[in-house]
Amino acid sequence: YEILQVTGVQTCALPIFALLVVLAACQLPKDPENTTDIVEGAVLKVGALQDPMPDQDLQAVTLIAAALDAQIEWHRENPHQLLDALEGGDLHLLAGGIPKDSPLTEHTGMTNPIGYVTVGADRPERVMLLRRGENRFLMRSNMALRPLTREAQE
């Protein structure tokens, strides 16, 4: 009788544990600085590293803004000021012909590649930058960018 009782408890504990894991996963990924919540239904602040903005980047920013039901607010300053603003949370994205292997990516998060950019004789993949650690915002951005990603082009 004791063996059946212990087995019953173990059998009952497994679904409860699985339910707790699923509920905890609903909170992931997280935005420590709440970027997604700040942008959604409000304003997506984008630092423009090129003027005029290349069509690929413009299309990518527009897709993200649409997915978050946000208006786009463009900011044009020198790259160092834009990077500082991104790291400080005053901007949500940097866009404008950014190669995936750019030194800027050491200080930021980056989207999935959205095409290619020509740098001299090279054609590295093109990305956009966002604040490091804002994983929910990154996930939502990458979902919005699916029509532009390498997989969509193949």
Side-chain angles (χ1 to χ4, degrees):
Y1 178 72
E2 290 177 27
I3 292 175
L4 291 175
Q5 191 173 24
V6 170
T7 304
V9 169
Q10 289 174 343
T11 303
C12 183
L14 185 59
I16 292 172
F17 177 73
L19 179 62
L20 291 173
V21 168
V22 169
L23 290 174
C26 291
Q27 300 299 317
L28 297 176
K30 293 189 176 203
D31 281 346
E33 304 298 331
N34 300 310
T35 301
T36 305
D37 292 336
I38 291 167
V39 172
E40 198 160 27
V43 177
L44 176 66
K45 297 178 183 176
V46 183
L49 293 172
Q50 291 182 323
D51 193 12
M53 180 63 58
D55 287 342
Q56 266 182 314
D57 293 86
L58 185 59
Q59 184 179 8
V61 170
T62 302
L63 286 170
I64 293 171
L68 295 169
D69 191 30
Q71 298 296 312
I72 302 168
E73 181 179 292
W74 294 99
H75 295 259
R76 290 174 172 81
E77 298 178 37
N78 77 53
H80 298 290
Q81 289 174 314
L82 292 174
L83 183 59
D84 286 345
L86 180 69
E87 290 176 329
D90 295 323
L91 292 177
H92 306 120
L93 280 175
L94 288 185
I98 303 166
K100 184 176 179 178
D101 59 358
S102 166
L104 294 175
T105 61
E106 295 174 17
H107 307 281
T108 65
M110 67 178 148
T111 64
N112 289 337
I114 56 169
Y116 297 90
V117 60
T118 302
V119 180
D122 297 330
R123 288 201 60 214
E125 291 178 309
R126 172 189 302 259
V127 296
M128 292 187 303
L129 306 180
L130 49 94
R131 194 173 189 186
R132 180 173 273 170
E134 296 300 282
N135 295 322
R136 185 170 164 227
F137 183 63
L138 174 61
M139 182 190 75
R140 293 282 303 272
S141 296
N142 282 335
M143 287 173 55
L145 295 173
R146 282 184 180 160
L148 301 180
T149 61
R150 181 177 52 229
E151 293 81 17
Q153 304 302 318
E154 293 176 351

